[in-house]
Amino acid sequence: MASSALAGPLGPDDFRPVDPAAAEVGRLLFYDKILSGNQNISCGTCHHHELGTTDRLSLGIGEGGEGIGRERIAGDIERRVPRNAPALWNLGAEEIRVLFHDGRLSLDPMSPTGFDSPVEEALPDGIETIVAAQALLPLLAETEMAGDAAENPVARAARRRPQEAWAILARRVRSIPAYREMLVAAFDLQAPEEIEIVHVANALGAFVSAEWQSHDSRYDRHLAGEAALTEEEAAGRDLFFVEVGCAGCHAGPLFSDQGFHALGLPSFGPGRTRAFDPVVRDRGRLNETDRLEDAYRFRTPMLRNVALTAPYGHNGAYPTLEGMIRHHMDPAAARRAWEPAMAELPEVEHLASVDFVVFEDAREMARLASAIDVDLPVLSDAEIDALVAFLHTLTGDESTKGRLGRPETVPSGLPVD
């Protein structure tokens, strides 16, 4: 196969520069539950070092849960997080211009803030990167980190104005001597009183951008002429880039066109509904654009380290890469064959009656089935195995451990997941 057909190499020069001092304080904030409304969940709870920067669940158990990963206990949560926790690999790459499954955060040079985001011009001045902007949004989400308005002032403030909630969190951070010292030094401030949520966001963005750069896979060594692929892996590579055309969407060094495509994945969970949606559903990109042609489309995931980030899909519908590939070949048949037991959903007795209620909505199921963008040829079992083998060559080596690592303790003194 001609080398020009391959995705090009990824390297350090493809990433935005990061201040090490900002990344170090960001590492602590990332795992510090002080940034949640009830001080019981951190960014790291759902994007953990030991879990491939995800939580290994189809739909997360956010605020109110206990533990990490598949052992996380739900407690008395009102609903699950409506979408799968996305992996954080290579978000610091210069090429990144849109984030979240529905693309609700993107670069926008026409906006005063530099971003098109759900909070619009409430986003504070001085946000340095799209990764930093992303870090502020889960802090406002009821099921993720804010909690219920009846429980804490952060959640109540988030319902009024984002700035009020962020101001409370910034005051919490300023109250801790270690954070005061580190943030003043990292951002060259004159006094601790100058610490605002923008500094918290930029620190978190610096950490995520620096920590999970991954470009040391066997595929990368293969591109450099330093490693050979097995016969099966090479066959999978040829299928991916030429014969099947996976690279049409999973394009470039990051293996994503950063576009949006409808796969017709099985629907379940609470859905990501809008204020006046009459039924449980998740219409993906349409929720952000109001364009009918965007219905049920979701962002193309990046595939580096994909073998570490199961389950797959915007709602984690498939537990294996094989299952996800088979779905691409015949979405209608795969959806009919799909079973609820395939979803990684820790049991929550009081949610059992609604987890799969969308299946009973014939009209929604028909709408979902009508929006399909993929048309892959039917592959043999051997060809599917070859594709899976190739995808495993995209797993990094030392980079998968992170660089700074998970802290054992954080300045607030709260427990670290």
Side-chain angles (χ1 to χ4, degrees), residues 25-180:
V25 66
R27 175 180 81 116
L28 299 173
L29 288 164
F30 188 86
Y31 276 100
D32 202 328
K33 296 177 181 180
I34 197 171
L35 291 182
S36 63
N38 290 318
Q39 302 187 58
N40 59 358
I41 187 171
S42 72
C43 306
T45 304
C46 297
H47 301 280
H48 203 278
H49 272 83
E50 295 178 6
L51 302 176
T53 75
T54 71
D55 60 3
R56 301 276 171 88
L57 301 177
S58 295
L59 304 177
I61 295 172
E63 202 286 330
E66 184 177 345
I68 64 169
R70 292 167 181 161
E71 305 304 315
R72 188 160 173 77
I73 299 170
D76 191 29
I77 63 171
E78 291 190 9
R79 61 190 181 105
R80 302 181 193 274
V81 177
R83 291 182 182 151
N84 181 255
L88 304 183
W89 304 106
N90 296 324
L91 295 189
E94 291 276 8
E95 185 182 330
I96 298 293
R97 60 181 185 274
V98 59
L99 291 177
F100 292 105
H101 291 295
D102 55 16
R104 62 185 181 275
L105 175 66
S106 60
L107 299 177
D108 182 2
M110 300 298 291
S111 168
T113 67
F115 304 94
D116 182 5
S117 82
V119 295
E120 300 176 342
E121 294 186 16
L123 204 67
D125 293 336
I127 295 291
E128 295 174 347
T129 66
I130 192 170
V131 188
Q134 179 277 330
L136 288 181
L137 301 182
L139 308 183
L140 305 174
E142 178 181 333
T143 59
E144 295 179 52
M145 295 181 70
D148 189 89
E151 297 173 336
N152 69 78
V154 174
R156 288 193 290 276
R159 287 195 174 186
R160 295 190 297 268
R161 297 173 67 244
Q163 300 96 321
E164 291 184 35
W166 290 330
I168 295 170
L169 295 173
R171 286 197 296 271
R172 285 185 185 175
V173 172
R174 284 199 303 269
S175 73
I176 298 174
Y179 282 136
R180 289 203 299 268

Side-chain angles (χ1 to χ4, degrees), residues 232 246 263 265 303 306-313 317-331 333-335 337-338 342 376-392:
E232 182 179 45
C246 308
L263 304 185
L265 292 174
L303 296 184
V306 68
L308 305 179
T309 61
Y312 303 106
Y318 286 98
T320 67
L321 287 169
E322 177 188 348
M324 195 64 178
I325 292 169
R326 289 187 183 277
H327 181 95
H328 280 68
M329 294 189 304
D330 190 341
R335 195 168 51 253
W338 189 87
M342 297 170 69
L376 269 62
V378 175
L379 304 176
S380 68
D381 290 348
E383 288 172 321
I384 292 172
D385 289 344
L387 274 174
V388 171
F390 170 68
L391 291 175
H392 275 267

Side-chain angles (χ1 to χ4, degrees), residues 240-325:
F240 186 94
F241 286 108
V242 179
E243 297 167 29
V244 176
C246 308
C249 297
H250 294 286
L254 296 175
F255 290 84
S256 172
D257 62 1
Q258 298 190 64
F260 301 86
H261 307 279
L263 304 185
L265 292 174
S267 182
F268 56 89
R272 188 174 178 88
T273 55
R274 298 195 290 183
F276 301 105
D277 269 337
V279 297
V280 171
R281 61 184 172 189
D282 189 340
R283 296 190 295 174
R285 184 66 175 153
L286 177 145
N287 285 8
E288 306 307 315
T289 66
D290 286 325
R291 293 161 54 97
L292 288 176
E293 58 266 38
D294 288 336
Y296 306 103
R297 287 179 167 168
F298 294 88
R299 184 178 183 268
T300 306
M302 299 184 289
L303 296 184
R304 286 177 176 272
N305 294 323
V306 68
L308 305 179
T309 61
Y312 303 106
H314 71 273
N315 58 359
Y318 286 98
T320 67
L321 287 169
E322 177 188 348
M324 195 64 178
I325 292 169

